Amino acid sequence: MAARRQWRKVDGVLLLNKPHGFTSNDALQVVRRAYSGKKAGHGGTLDPLATGLLPVAFGAATRFLHDLVEAEKVYTATVRLGWRSSTGDGEGELTAEPSYAGGLPDQEKIDHVIKAFTGPISQRPPMYSALKFQGRPLYEYARAGIHIDRPAREVTVHELTIESASPEVLVLRVRCSKGTYIRVLAEDIGDALGTGAYLSDLRRDAVGRFDLTQAIDLARIQAAAPADRQAELDELPPLLPVDAMVRELPEVALDERCAQRFTNGQGIDLTAVSSMSARMAAASDTEQRWRVYGEGRFLGLARQQEHMLNPLRVLPVTHES
């Protein structure tokens, strides 16, 4: 009989390469069990069809997942022309587009369509999505044959380029804001081209400052931590530190007195700390966020508001091993 799992206080970040066929939560639970982490979360849902970068945060690092959810994303999207899908992707019922004769539109039309879908655009969330209506995800209504009116919302496609093109398939690189549905983008591009289209494959290449080249395959974690036994932490890939998700922010180091105030949730008067005030006064953003350290330890995030440095997210003073 297998020994009962002992959940640990684990803090840090794992960059996971999610394979086909796993929901984001499925992959999260595999990783959580492998590390026996008491608390874990992921930074942005990927459909089972999709592969690629899924940041997983443990323990104290979960406090900073919001930054990853809000961050821009980069995808490689494979768009099949001449067909439509009931779900917008390869998991739905496929029907051929009768008006499509099989020829790729001319380059001028393609360039026009790509330009039209670059920048702020309006999207209507798909029925087959986890977006909730009256407490239930939309896909439950869709499976029951119930149509829900979804208001369009604005997202931003910062960059849209064609990696390759044929009469059957477009491969697109998409750099976009949070909340962008790549399935909808694929369908809308197909409509604009007059070919019809659906998303046949999707890979997430980057989330904020993290990219897929840094990620660890789920199979590697499963091999190090078989389901029938609890792994030792030194058998598993090491985690990135808790502050890895906010490294793009400027940092400030506090002395012992100020660090104590910060960890107690108290603001710090910058005019009373000459070593900090000059540097922070030079910040162009009066609402600048800062990574805060004290005695060599990451303490959390603060927001600069006029002459005050106010705690935004504060880590516990002590961590269990």
Side-chain angles (χ1 to χ4, degrees), residues 69-86:
V69 172
E70 295 291 313
E72 68 177 35
K73 315 294 192 299
V74 178
Y75 297 93
T76 297
T78 302
V79 180
R80 188 178 182 192
L81 304 178
W83 294 80
R84 296 184 183 274
S85 166
S86 59

Side-chain angles (χ1 to χ4, degrees), residues 29 31-32 34 41 73 79 88 95 103 106 109 122 129 154 166 186 196 208-209 235 238-239 254 262 265 289 301 312:
Q29 295 308 323
V31 173
R32 178 174 175 254
K73 315 294 192 299
V79 180
T95 55
D106 63 63
K109 184 170 186 178
S122 180
S129 71
E154 187 173 282
S166 75
R209 57 184 293 272
E235 297 175 329
L239 301 178
L254 305 181
F262 180 83
R289 294 190 304 159
L301 298 184
L312 193 58

Side-chain angles (χ1 to χ4, degrees), residues 97-256:
E97 172 56 44
S99 64
Y100 182 52
L104 191 66
D106 63 63
Q107 191 61 47
E108 183 178 355
K109 184 170 186 178
I110 291 174
D111 290 343
H112 175 76
V113 168
I114 292 301
K115 183 177 180 181
F117 286 97
T118 304
I121 63 172
S122 180
Q123 280 193 336
R124 192 174 304 279
M127 278 298 300
Y128 282 91
S129 71
L131 197 66
K132 290 189 176 180
F133 176 76
Q134 296 184 349
R136 295 173 58 193
L138 286 175
Y139 63 75
E140 290 188 2
Y141 294 96
R143 289 169 182 169
I146 301 171
H147 178 81
I148 302 296
D149 186 38
R150 295 97 58 211
R153 55 189 186 181
E154 187 173 282
V155 296
T156 302
V157 177
H158 301 289
E159 181 183 350
L160 179 61
T161 57
I162 296 178
E163 300 288 287
S164 65
S166 75
E168 294 80 27
V169 171
L170 292 180
V171 179
L172 306 175
R173 183 180 187 273
V174 187
R175 183 168 64 88
C176 58
S177 68
K178 72 158 188 173
T180 304
Y181 285 97
I182 308 300
R183 279 180 293 156
V184 175
L185 181 64
E187 291 180 305
D188 290 347
I189 287 174
D191 287 340
L193 289 173
T195 64
Y198 71 90
L199 183 68
S200 62
D201 195 34
L202 182 68
R203 183 184 72 221
R204 186 155 67 193
D205 298 313
V207 177
R209 57 184 293 272
F210 298 127
D211 66 65
L212 187 56
T213 62
Q214 302 167 280
I216 295 165
D217 289 344
L218 185 62
R220 179 181 167 191
I221 294 171
Q222 290 173 308
D228 61 350
R229 72 173 179 84
Q230 184 162 344
E232 296 298 327
L233 288 180
D234 58 8
E235 297 175 329
L236 293 160
L239 301 178
L240 298 175
V242 170
D243 62 349
M245 289 188 288
V246 291
R247 288 278 176 87
E248 74 281 1
L249 298 177
E251 69 173 271
V252 60
L254 305 181
D255 61 25
E256 184 178 356

